[in-house]
């Protein structure tokens, strides 16, 4: 159901097939041996077929409390039933809960397909494919939305965003990925409700960020996130840095980085969250560094500190797991080392496990004009030289000026060429 039916109608190969059924999670588990039940907030069955995981969701009854008619609903395999009363938020029962802003904390009240469709997000995502007779069941006029390449929320947009603010991100993601327009009523409340993202668990926002930025349509997704005022609720410090002239180029760097990532995905090359988050946070890190260090060229310890301050604050919005945050920090810490090119010691950088990613990051800095093209060229060339020639090169080289990107001494200017000797003008 959902995305797969939509994609098939569009002639796109679906990424996966989600299944919707009237079987309860426990029943699904009894039928399929390789089945795991996951999720407390939203209980699902994952059926494993080799490498593949098929997500199986039991039909839910309509979610909004005001839509609830006081009717018995079967909720689990034991035949327990609860009566949901129309309630003012916050609302809490064992199987469904809302917080004071109307956000759904739990949604495990099961229902029929006719009830299920109303709690799907967009009409274009609300299509069911019936495997018995190969028919499409369309309760919400979803087929005509797919044909018109349009995203329209089912129901009252504001209520639906309050129930789950991530739907605002999903609107942007599908608009970018499918090249759909967002219907006017669906679009209108987004700016005003963008702040609701602040209340979404950071781990969920991390997952959503990967889908937004690492699915092949990152550049477009970012533009839409900015357009709707959503980005600043995901990466507040980066958004703030982008608005300050000395760091505005960091936004260009992000756009260039996302364009590279999109091209890599199109070419079936691997991409990593480590690099993504480095590009997302670089502007914020430089700003932090600049604001806490008065000296012309801050030392590495100050860069480490700035990076940690930004990371700590960022984790309260988007939880970046340590396995990405740690290498990301290393990648950023290596940037000043590219400026040290004289002496044999400088060659150890080539052996660093994070060299490749750090070098790609240097190329990106050069691409937007904050690292000298000559510097990028040096590190490009030296990689393919035999060791004796490398040594000869670094021994002949005079000492370089340290990296000054984003510091008080060298307010980063686009394509500004530092004069030889690196004398900074005030
Ligand atoms: P993708 O191609 O990214 O998998 P999809 O449409 O299949 O897109 P999923 O996140 O896999 O999206 O979700 C499957 C279906 O479940 C959606 O098509 C939609 O009907 C429904 N759905 C998923 N998340 C939500 C949500 N937050 N609110 C309402 N409905 C949702
Ligand atoms: Mg899917």
């Amino acid at each position: 159901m959902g995305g797969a039916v939509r994609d098939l109608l569009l002639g796109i190969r679906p990424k996966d097939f989600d299944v919707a059924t009237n079987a309860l999670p426990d029943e699904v588990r009894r039928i399929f041996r390789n089945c795991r039940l996951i999720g407390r907030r939203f209980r699902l069955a994952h059926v494993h077929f080799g490498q593949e995981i098929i997500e199986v969701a039991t039909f839910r009854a309509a979610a909004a409390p005001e839509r609830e008619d006081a009717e018995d609903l079967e909720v689990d395999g034991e035949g327990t039933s609860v009566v949901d009363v129309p309630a003012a938020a916050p609302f809490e029962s064992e199987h469904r809960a809302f917080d004071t802003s109307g956000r759904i904390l739990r949604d495990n009240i099961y229902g029929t397909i006719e009830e299920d469709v109303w709690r799907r997000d967009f009409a274009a995502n609300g299509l069911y494919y019936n495997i018995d007779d190969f028919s499409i069941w369309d309760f919400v006029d979803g087929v005509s939305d797919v044909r018109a390449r349009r995203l329209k929320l089912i129901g009252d947009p504001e209520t639906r965003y309050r129930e789950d603010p991530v739907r605002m991100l999903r609107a942007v993601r599908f608009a970018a990925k499918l090249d759909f327009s967002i219907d006017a009523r669906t679009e209108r409340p987004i700016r005003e409700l963008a702040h609701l993202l602040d209340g979404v668990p950071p781990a969920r926002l991390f997952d959503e960020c990967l889908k937004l930025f690492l699915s092949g349509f990152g550049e477009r997704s970012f533009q839409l996130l900015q357009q709707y005022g959503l980005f600043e609720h995901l990466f507040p410090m980066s958004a703030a840095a982008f608005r300050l002239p000395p760091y505005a180029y960091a936004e260009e760097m992000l756009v260039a980085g996302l364009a590279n990532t999109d091209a890599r995905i199109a070419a079936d090359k691997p991409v990593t969250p480590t690099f993504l988050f480095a590009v997302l946070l670089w502007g914020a890190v430089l700003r932090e560094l600049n604001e806490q260090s008065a000296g012309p060229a801050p030392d590495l310890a100050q860069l480490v500190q700035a990076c940690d301050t930004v990371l700590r604050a960022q984790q309260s919005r988007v939880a970046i797991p340590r396995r990405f945050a740690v290498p990301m920090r290393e990648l950023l810490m290596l940037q000043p080392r590219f400026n040290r090119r004289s002496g044999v010691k400088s060659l150890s950088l080539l052996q660093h496990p994070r060299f490749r990613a750090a070098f790609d990051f240097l190329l990106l800095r050069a691409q937007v004009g904050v690292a000298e093209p000559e510097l990028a060229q040096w590190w490009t060339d030296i990689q393919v030289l035999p060791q004796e020639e490398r040594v000869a090169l670094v021994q002949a080289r005079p000492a370089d000026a340290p990296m000054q990107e984003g510091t008080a001494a060298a307010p980063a200017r686009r394509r500004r060429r530092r004069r030889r000797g690196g004398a900074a003008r005030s």
Side-chain angles (χ1 to χ4, degrees), residues 1-4 6 15-18 55:
M1 75 87 36
R6 174 201 69 211
K15 166 174 117 280
D16 48 33
F17 291 86
D18 305 301
E55 207 164 85

Side-chain angles (χ1 to χ4, degrees), residues 179-348:
D179 195 20
F180 274 29
S181 65
I182 304 177
D183 183 69
R185 281 189 61 235
T186 296
E187 182 179 51
R188 204 168 301 128
I190 297 182
R191 275 199 155 273
E192 206 181 307
L193 299 180
H195 66 94
L196 292 174
L197 286 175
D198 303 354
V200 176
R204 187 159 176 230
L205 291 182
F206 172 77
D207 291 342
E208 210 54 39
C209 279
L210 294 191
K211 292 184 190 168
L212 279 161
F213 297 123
L214 294 184
S215 302
F217 304 88
E219 185 183 359
R220 181 86 187 115
S221 295
F222 171 69
Q223 284 163 346
L224 291 173
L225 288 174
Q226 284 283 57
Q227 183 184 322
Y228 291 114
L230 293 164
F231 183 75
E232 65 194 74
H233 291 281
L234 295 173
F235 297 92
M237 285 164 297
S238 309
F242 295 164
R243 286 194 282 263
L244 298 169
Y247 314 101
Y249 75 89
E251 180 169 1
E252 263 178 75
M253 229 179 111
L254 173 58
V255 171
L258 291 171
N260 289 352
T261 303
D262 292 345
R264 287 184 66 87
I265 292 168
D268 254 332
K269 292 186 189 160
V271 293
T272 136
T274 299
F275 193 83
L276 169 71
F277 285 100
V279 193
L280 277 162
L281 296 177
W282 184 233
V285 171
L286 287 180
R287 180 189 176 192
E288 180 66 28
L289 175 70
N290 195 7
E291 288 183 354
Q292 56 171 247
S293 71
D299 59 28
L300 198 60
Q302 286 169 316
L303 182 56
V304 173
Q305 207 176 58
C307 191
D308 287 347
T309 305
V310 168
L311 257 176
R312 209 172 313 118
Q314 182 58 48
Q315 299 284 16
S316 67
R317 293 299 173 101
V318 176
I320 308 167
R322 277 183 60 82
R323 67 182 184 282
F324 303 124
V326 170
M328 182 208 88
R329 188 166 163 276
E330 282 178 345
L331 182 168
L332 295 182
M333 293 312 102
L334 289 182
Q335 295 310 306
R337 283 185 56 186
F338 285 112
N339 287 62
R340 281 193 259 129
R341 288 180 281 173
S342 75
V344 184
K345 253 185 80 182
S346 69
L347 291 175
S348 65

